[in-house]
Amino acid sequence: GVVTYYGIGVYANKVQGIAYLQEAVNKKVFYAHLLLLHIFFVQNNYVKTFELLQSFVKYGFVSVYDVLLGRFYAGDFGSEYIDKYEAFKCFKRAIGSDIVEAYRLFGKCYEVGYGVSKDEYEAFKYYKKGAFAGDAESQFELANCYLTALGTEKNPVSGKRWLMEAAKNGYNKAQYLLGICNYYYYIL
């Protein structure tokens, strides 16, 4: 399927390549799932992407796809398959596999009560796990927790430390906020 889709040593035929990959998907071939998922996602074909993600999880393939499936259920990518309880369950499974991004998404569910009862202390706990695991967005969320006393005591020193860490790791919202603070001489 890949050879036909991309025209490697043969004439490219995207329609036939997708058909071959789909046959392999029906036979539960992991790499066919992965390649077809990539093709559909890049083409912004979110309906097909969603269907493949469901089969990925159903067949027990790599748990990182739980994060992507959870994001579909959460309404990212303009998804029509919004189900906050399914999103929460997907993020929970991904945490069980130690997927770093899942800590932040799981924390956000607790922060806003998405698919679970709102619990700022649980949100803080998962943001902290993600931050220590090196996820820049989790570091930003943890900084916010310390700066606004979300699930913990207010601690501007820790807040600034985590904001600087997120900025250092390339998270643009943290860089922007630090830039604004520095421009106006606002000391956290």
Side-chain angles (χ1 to χ4, degrees):
V2 176
V3 170
T4 304
Y5 184 86
Y6 289 109
I8 302 169
V10 298
Y11 289 108
N13 183 333
K14 295 187 184 301
V15 173
Q16 188 61 49
I18 288 175
Y20 289 148
L21 286 169
Q22 190 61 58
E23 284 178 36
V25 164
N26 294 340
K27 295 177 183 175
K28 302 177 185 173
V29 176
F30 171 76
Y31 293 108
H33 270 86
L34 188 60
L35 292 167
L36 204 50
L37 180 72
H38 172 75
I39 289 167
F40 289 145
F41 192 75
V42 168
Q43 292 175 346
N44 295 326
N45 186 339
Y46 298 133
V47 171
K48 291 286 188 184
T49 302
F50 179 76
E51 290 169 0
L52 273 173
L53 284 169
Q54 286 181 312
S55 69
F56 246 102
V57 173
K58 180 175 129 186
Y59 296 141
F61 291 143
V62 188
S63 292
V64 71
Y65 293 100
D66 269 321
V67 169
L68 193 51
L69 181 58
R71 291 184 64 197
F72 266 89
Y73 280 127
D76 293 357
F77 316 113
S79 174
E80 59 192 65
Y81 305 102
I82 296 174
D83 184 331
K84 59 186 176 183
Y85 300 103
E86 285 298 320
F88 180 79
K89 288 190 325 191
C90 288
F91 300 146
K92 186 175 185 176
R93 281 193 305 265
I95 281 182
S97 298
D98 228 13
I99 308 294
V100 175
E101 180 185 6
Y103 290 115
R104 176 182 44 81
L105 295 167
F106 203 58
K108 187 58 77 176
C109 287
Y110 276 112
E111 180 183 346
V112 299
Y114 196 80
V116 66
S117 296
K118 186 175 177 177
D119 187 333
E120 292 178 351
Y121 298 102
E122 284 294 304
F124 172 77
K125 179 173 92 175
Y126 285 103
Y127 290 149
K128 190 172 184 178
K129 285 184 180 189
F132 276 100
D135 180 54
E137 290 182 62
S138 293
Q139 293 166 345
F140 180 79
E141 294 295 346
L142 184 60
N144 181 55
C145 288
Y146 282 123
L147 294 171
T148 63
L150 184 104
T152 188
E153 292 182 19
K154 190 170 186 172
N155 185 335
V157 173
S158 291
K160 183 176 180 183
R161 174 182 164 253
W162 283 108
L163 192 60
M164 291 174 68
E165 190 69 21
K168 183 179 89 178
N169 287 324
Y171 190 56
N172 61 355
K173 287 182 181 177
Q175 293 167 344
Y176 174 78
L177 186 56
L178 282 174
I180 293 294
C181 291
N182 287 333
Y183 181 78
Y184 291 106
Y185 301 104
Y186 177 76
I187 307 298
L188 294 175

